[in-house]
Amino acid sequence: MAACGRVRRMFRLSAALQLLLLAAAGAQKLPGQGGHGQGQGPGANFPSFVGQTGGGGQAGQTLLQMPQSSQLQHQQQPPQQPPQPPQPPFPAGGPPARRGGAGPGGAGGGWKLAEEESCREDVTRVCPKHTWSNNLAVLECLQDVREVRRRRDGLLWNYKEVCKSTISENVPDEPVGKGYLVSCLVDHRGNITEYHDYRLICGFMDDCKNDINILKCGSIRLGEKDAHSQGEVVSCLEKGLVKEAEERDPKIQVSELCKKAILRVAELSSDDFHLDRHLYFACRDDRERFCENTQAGEGRVYKCLFNHKFEESMSEKCREALTTRQKLIAQDYKVSYSLAKSCKSDLKKYRCNVENLPRSREARLSYLLMCLESAVHRGRQVSSECQGEMLDYRRMLMEDFSLSPEIILSCRGEIEHHCSGLHRKGRTLHCLMKVVRGEKGNLGMNCQQALQTLIQETDPGADYRIDRALNEACESVIQTACKHIRSGDPMILSCLMEHLYTEKMVEDCEHRLLELQYFISRDWKLDPVLYRKCQGDASRLCHTHGWNETSELMPPGAVFSCLYRHAYRTEEQGRRLSRECRAEVQRILHQRAMDVKLDPGLQDKCLIDLGKWCSEKTETGQELECLQDHLDDLAVECRDIVGNLTELESEDIQIEALLMRACEPIIQNFCHDVADNQIDSGDLMECLIQNKHQKDMNEKCAIGVTHFQLVQMKDFRFSYKFKMACKEDVLKLCPNIKKKVDVVICLSTTVRNDTLQEAKEHRVSLKCRKQLRVEELEMTEDIRLEPDLYEACKSDIKNYCSTVQYGNAQIIECLKENKKQLSTRCHQKVFKLQETEMMDPELDYTLMRVCKQMIKRFCPEADSKTMLQCLKQNKNSELMDPKCKQMITKRQITQNTDYRLNPVLRKACKADIPKFCHGILTKAKDDSELEGQVISCLKLRYADQRLSSDCEDQIRIIIQESALDYRLDPQLQLHCSDEISNLCAEEAAAQEQTGQVEECLKVNLLKIKTDACKKEVLNMLKESKADIFVDPVLHTACALDIKHHCAAITPGRGRQMSCLMEALEDKRVRLQPECKKRLNDRIEMWSYAAKVAPADGFSDLAMQVMTSPSKNYILSVISGSICILFLIGLMCGRITKRVTRELKDR
């Protein structure tokens, strides 16, 4: 008969024979040799897949028996003792086989062992109630109880006799040891009266005989049990098969025929764990402990035991047997009954078991999972039962690395070196992931690739629960931060990433999460949400293949790079991503910005630079900032990828998740409008920069924004709005310039030259000029944004401004205040900066910040270049803010130190300065300040009334302002500092300067010993003669008299002063007492000045005469002297001898 074809049917129906076989096995047990490891009898020869329980010790654990001669069997079997007297065989009316066999396992409506009188009492006392209806379960319960066993031996013996006679009657001609008996018995199961043979698996011995000998599976622990125990033989072969898969060059290889036979046996025993005798005996106690209420059949007990495999109370022997079983499942999914049954239709539907593929490939669990996962990710319908089974086995692979031969082969050395002793609950895999991230050493590429493959097979990105280590570490975070998301949803991982480095995140979860994300980030398909939203775009733009297919031209890591390049394209640049896909790309970019290790390209290209420049930067986000800081020092490939990422951030700063988190209050209060835009285009960063110094600004946000500004200075492309507005202008006007500060200077110079030359058409476009203005204003806020100035003044900052914080232009202001002490190079740079700010006051960050409200009040219509001039004109208004007034005074002091810092004066006196102050300009160096010398020179010429009208007007303003505040006269401060501190300390300390210091110096003129200071005071007196407006004390005292007596006199050129002097001499005019007193004091001072400071030349002498109180007398004397000389000449003739005409004509 064709027995081999009936093997599967034999296993399905073998449960009907279990009770008979078990009974026969129990009847062979010798009296007094019960219990484990005691005695062996023919019962050891019966197969486990028919539910044997009667055999004692290890011999009872048999699955199949090797064919041996009867003589050898009798030599190895111990002598049997006489059996006990048999009990009545069938008290209730004949043999059980005659009354309709029970169903599988002995359950059903037929005869029940628990109802037999000889067993009823013991079953009720020893066995749980739910087992009473299952004959097999009852036998399992009773077999180890010695006194019970003695009472039931007679009953079991009768069963043995029945089976023996049945075989002889029905199958007398079948050859022994060929596996045909069971099939034959099944065909004649209605007539079975006896059953006994152990060689039941068709062809097994023919296929595996050599392998048994090579692997030495036929002689295991001799002396303790039957040398050919069938369960142990199969277990030994299974371990050999598993070991071969885990070795790169195995010394012993199992033949292909035997491999198939072993996997076939494992498949046939997949329904009921009783059928795997080695596992059954290894896990009996564990089954009772963990799976007591789990019914046998359909692989349920296997699954239950798998779920408890890593429990502390699980026996090591059972755990080892379960692991072997799982490894077989990994080699052939059909070894799992539940998986094969649940996914049968789906495998056929999606062609996951194509016949033309080699079985070794299509049968592997990994192939099945990848094929079905691909269908799920493509949106195909896979049954819920199959998906449930897939989830269980994906979790199983993540929990135990040893189930993946590739991990064993590729990572053996790394596991021994870094991760020994971390076997349970996925800890070893996460340890390897940690090593890959570079936190514990280095990992080989083969091991890294094996890990990447395993992550794709298990696909934990689709359901975080697959990764048990992550699930347990992040449970508390999920319950608090992600409780609004359904359990098992792929967005749980995104939620965890969003809360990375927040207060809700715990350290263990953070580590496990980053370890997993490291691998997910290297294959875009492992993020199920990204794959679902971008599948169409990736196929259209990046030419990708199916979920479980790869391409050398477009590897998985390159797909995301392709996607984000298209995500930020403009409509003019070509095809763009769909809105849904673009949002997912942004989400991934946000996650990657938190850790450089989540950006595969960045880490691969910058590994050396990270070690070289950023080894000490271990805090969150510091590595990328470090790379950006050292951009110019990086290797070319690393510099390119960091530059591209920075350029991308400039367009969409929301990619910087950590920065956005730090700046959330500012964004909500000041930038919520631009933050809600679908497309950022650099608006949000511009808003943050403008509000960087708001009161609500926190330190982290300010530092982050400033750092991004500093990075932008390295390349103009890093400023998105500037790049888009000026790209064409830069290519045309500044083609070889890359640094932003140099580009700004280049374009600004071009704009200024076009403006000065009054060009008909500006070379820089209007949109670029507008954005250029924004960039110039931003650069003035922090000295670090002007690299040349910062480098030149580093040592000075350390010496004079070490306690001053960066930002708000505070360092720049500090350097200005200490300008005289600065090094030459820094002094020159600061002077150039001041010159630029005075030409365009809007670039003076401090002035604009302090006087912001006053500008709105007094100068709303003023041009940016006349802003300071407008503020100076309103400086003494009662509504002027004191702080703004003080800042205006500072700028006036700065302007008066050098005419080049006063653009209005420079333009008005363009002809007068070289004419009257040529000597000062000749002596001065090109880069040195003139310390107010030119302005002092112009003041003297003003007193001489020799300046042009425009220049005279500007000098008059300067003299008037400096007469009220001595600090506005740099020469006076320079030469009279000691006298001011000694003679006029009280006046100098006054909060409001109204000319008291100047008046004090004039009054104490005789006490001044220093010639230079005395000369400056005399110059002040000389200037006051030229115009009463430059003498505020005298002008205030005589304001009423000027109104009454000199109202018709045009101010300027000393005319009103002469009017007052004449009124003083006129006895008819009565001046105010204060005015009269001040005038008399001035006359005495002028007289003294004339004595101690004689005229330097004829013009100076003429001026002294004209401004002298005795002007009329002096002029009269001079006129009279001239007349007398003229008359003497007329009266006396020529003194020389007359010469005759003749002599002249000769």
Side-chain angles (χ1 to χ4, degrees), residues 962-970 972-973 980 988 993 997-998:
S962 58
L964 289 171
D965 192 339
Y966 76 98
R967 295 171 298 176
L968 299 181
D969 190 337
L972 181 67
Q973 270 196 298
I980 292 172
Q993 291 293 323
V997 175
E998 290 84 344

Side-chain angles (χ1 to χ4, degrees), residues 51-67:
Q52 173 185 349
T53 60
Q58 297 294 331
Q61 304 176 28
T62 58
L63 176 63
L64 75 153
Q65 176 74 21
M66 294 188 303

